[in-house]
Amino acid sequence: VTIGVNNRYKLLDKLRADFTVMSLAYKWSIAVKQMTSLPAYASHIPIADYTKYQAEFFTSLDNFKKIASLPYTKHRFAHGHDRDVMMVLNHQGKKSTLEKVADFGMKGVSIGDITPVIIGGYAAYRHGYERAKKANPKAGEAHFEARGILSFEMLTDNAQQSGSMKDMSGFAKGGSLARVMTMYTTSLIQYTNNETTAIMDALAKKVDSKKKLAKILAINHLILPSLFY
């Protein structure tokens, strides 16, 4: 009986992986749609700063190279950005020719994900850098740089899709059936968590919490859906 159950779970995992490839591979239009996730970075960055740093990004190719060369960015592009995509790309063992063709087809999704990460991530990096500089001007360039990179990584995990265990719900960390039932839900869960946190802050009457809540609601329910659809 145990063997039969295990085989059913393996089959379910195989079907889920195949569906992931079928729904995403060679769908180049998805890469364009993924660009609409860019405003999500503004959820945790003041609008004025976000706008300023995004404009600054386009002033030099070095800004692109800066974020693109970070270990986080390279790892995300190579190994995937969503749990289901990561499980397809990180398939262990020797890959068949068909699997290699499927992996190549997934590059469009990877490019569509990493582009807003680099562009929006630059704003997150600059925000963290300048905050650290303002908080402790004498800390030195190395400290400012480290805080900027940390801000980029944390805000990207928060604003973009993430397959990391820390960013998934308890249910999504379950077995084969739970993985099927939570496919492509990481962004929805993250946005919901952002709203919940903002609501709790507003109820606790934290400084500027109502303004932040209004901004997050506008981004999640008006700006992002309007751009995507």
Side-chain angles (χ1 to χ4, degrees):
V1 177
T2 303
I3 295 177
V5 171
N6 288 338
N7 285 338
R8 285 199 291 271
Y9 286 145
K10 288 180 180 179
L11 175 61
L12 195 59
D13 285 336
K14 179 67 167 57
L15 291 174
R16 181 182 49 76
D18 289 345
F19 178 78
T20 300
V21 174
M22 182 185 70
S23 60
L24 297 178
Y26 295 98
K27 303 292 178 62
W28 307 110
S29 61
I30 295 178
V32 178
K33 282 193 171 185
Q34 284 174 290
M35 284 295 297
T36 62
S37 67
L38 193 56
Y41 277 100
S43 295
H44 300 284
I45 303 175
I47 293 297
D49 289 343
Y50 174 76
T51 304
K52 179 175 70 174
Y53 297 140
Q54 286 295 240
E56 181 182 294
F57 172 83
F58 294 101
T59 61
S60 174
L61 184 60
D62 289 339
N63 296 332
F64 174 91
K65 294 178 180 178
K66 170 74 179 180
I67 304 301
S69 64
L70 293 175
Y72 176 99
T73 311
K74 292 179 178 179
H75 184 274
R76 185 181 178 100
F77 182 70
H79 298 285
H81 55 280
D82 173 85
R83 179 200 60 197
D84 301 298
V85 173
M86 291 170 70
M87 294 183 77
V88 170
L89 295 180
N90 299 327
H91 172 70
Q92 299 297 317
K94 186 177 180 180
K95 293 188 177 183
S96 66
T97 301
L98 185 60
E99 286 174 327
K100 291 179 180 178
V101 171
D103 282 358
F104 179 78
M106 297 290 283
K107 287 298 182 184
V109 177
S110 296
I111 293 172
D113 167 74
I114 212 65
T115 302
V117 165
I118 293 174
I119 298 173
Y122 178 80
Y125 159 76
R126 289 286 288 120
H127 177 62
Y129 181 98
E130 292 299 333
R131 283 190 65 184
K133 191 173 182 178
K134 183 178 180 180
N136 190 359
K138 297 181 180 180
E141 182 64 25
H143 173 75
F144 306 150
E145 182 73 7
R147 299 303 295 180
I149 293 174
L150 179 62
S151 175
F152 157 67
E153 294 175 353
M154 292 182 66
L155 289 187
T156 297
D157 280 346
N158 189 277
Q160 303 296 308
Q161 295 186 75
S162 174
S164 300
M165 292 294 286
K166 66 180 179 59
D167 297 312
M168 290 191 288
S169 65
F171 181 73
K173 296 175 185 176
S176 301
L177 183 59
R179 286 195 287 269
V180 170
M181 296 178 69
T182 55
M183 287 185 71
Y184 308 144
T185 60
T186 55
S187 290
L188 297 176
I189 292 172
Q190 285 167 286
Y191 296 160
T192 301
N193 290 340
N194 287 341
E195 286 187 20
T196 302
T197 301
I199 290 171
M200 296 300 292
D201 287 346
L203 292 175
K205 297 182 179 180
K206 292 186 177 181
V207 178
D208 291 333
S209 58
K210 291 183 178 179
K211 290 182 179 179
K212 185 174 182 179
L213 173 59
K215 180 176 69 171
I216 288 176
L217 290 175
I219 290 173
N220 289 358
H221 297 285
L222 180 61
I223 298 174
L224 291 176
S226 297
L227 290 174
F228 187 81
Y229 294 106

